[in-house]
Amino acid sequence: MTTRWLSPDEQRAWRAYIAAAFLLEDTIDRQLQQEAGMPHVYYSILATLSEVPERRLRMTELAEGLKITRPRLTYAVARLEKDGLVRRESCQWDKRGSVAVLTDEGMTVLERAAPGHVETVRAALFERLTPEQVGQLEEIFTSVTEGLLGDGGGSEEVPWRRRSSPSCS
C-alpha cells in the first residue's frame, strides 16, 4: 500500500487546525476553571442537560451528544453529583441504564458560568472571523463530523454510538 502523504497545503491546514484546536480548548478550559471551578467537559454536561426536556437525559445519550466515552462521562457525572449539580436516577424502561438530571443548584451554577464562557468563546473564536467564515466553519465541521460518524460501516464501534435499550423519559 502506498502512503498518500499530505500536500503542502493540506499539511499547513492540518497544523493550523491542530494549533487552533489545542489553544481554543486550553483557553476555554482555563476560563471555566478560574471563573466556575470546573473543566470544560463538566460545563458541557450541565449545558446539555439544561437544553433537554425536564433537564434529564439517559447517560448513553448524553455521552453520544458530547462525543465522550461512557467511562469519562460516568466519572464526570459522579463528580457533579458529589457537588450537588447533577443527580442520577434509574431508568424506568431499562434497569441497567441511568438518567442524569440537572439539579436546581446545577442550573444556578450554569447560569452564573455561562456569560463568562460565552464571552471567552466569542473573543477566542468568533470575533476573529467574518460572518462568511462562521458559515464556512459550520459547513466544514458539519461535513467532517458527518463523515466520521457515517451512516454505518464501523460507526457503531465508536463508544458513544453503541446502541442501547429505548431511551427513558
Side-chain angles (χ1 to χ4, degrees):
M1 184 167 121
T2 304
T3 301
R4 294 180 35 208
W5 297 107
L6 299 178
S7 72
D9 288 344
E10 292 169 332
Q11 186 69 257
R12 283 190 304 277
W14 174 246
R15 288 181 179 170
Y17 161 76
I18 292 297
F22 287 154
L23 288 168
L24 275 169
E25 185 60 29
D26 180 65
T27 298
I28 291 166
D29 205 55
R30 277 187 296 111
Q31 177 272 325
L32 284 167
Q33 286 284 7
Q34 290 170 356
E35 294 182 21
M38 71 177 75
H40 188 203
V41 70
Y42 291 16
Y43 177 89
S44 296
I45 292 167
L46 299 180
T48 299
L49 290 173
S50 77
E51 297 169 347
V52 295
E54 299 179 30
R55 302 186 320 208
R56 62 189 316 111
L57 197 58
R58 187 179 166 108
M59 292 282 285
T60 53
E61 292 176 40
L62 187 55
E64 180 176 349
L66 294 171
K67 307 296 182 264
I68 61 176
T69 63
R70 291 179 191 173
R72 184 174 182 202
L73 177 66
T74 299
Y75 178 84
V77 168
R79 178 59 194 264
L80 291 167
E81 191 173 31
K82 180 181 173 211
D83 293 341
L85 307 180
V86 171
R87 75 175 178 273
R88 278 186 278 191
E89 298 176 351
S90 296
C91 178
Q92 298 171 315
W93 308 110
D94 180 0
K95 295 303 177 195
R96 298 171 298 157
S98 62
V99 175
V101 182
L102 180 64
T103 64
D104 291 341
E105 184 179 349
M107 189 67 180
T108 299
V109 167
L110 177 65
E111 288 169 343
R112 280 196 312 257
H117 171 67
V118 170
E119 186 53 40
T120 298
V121 170
R122 180 172 300 291
L125 180 61
F126 293 108
E127 287 178 359
R128 301 171 191 281
L129 303 175
T130 66
E132 181 182 20
Q133 288 173 318
V134 171
Q136 292 168 342
L137 186 68
E138 178 187 8
E139 186 178 326
I140 289 165
F141 286 111
T142 297
S143 178
V144 170
T145 300
E146 288 172 354
L148 290 171
L149 294 177
D151 57 353
S155 67
E156 294 299 314
E157 294 304 314
V158 179
W160 52 83
R161 295 277 296 177
R162 290 186 187 127
R163 295 289 172 220
S164 59
S165 300
S167 62
C168 297
S169 56

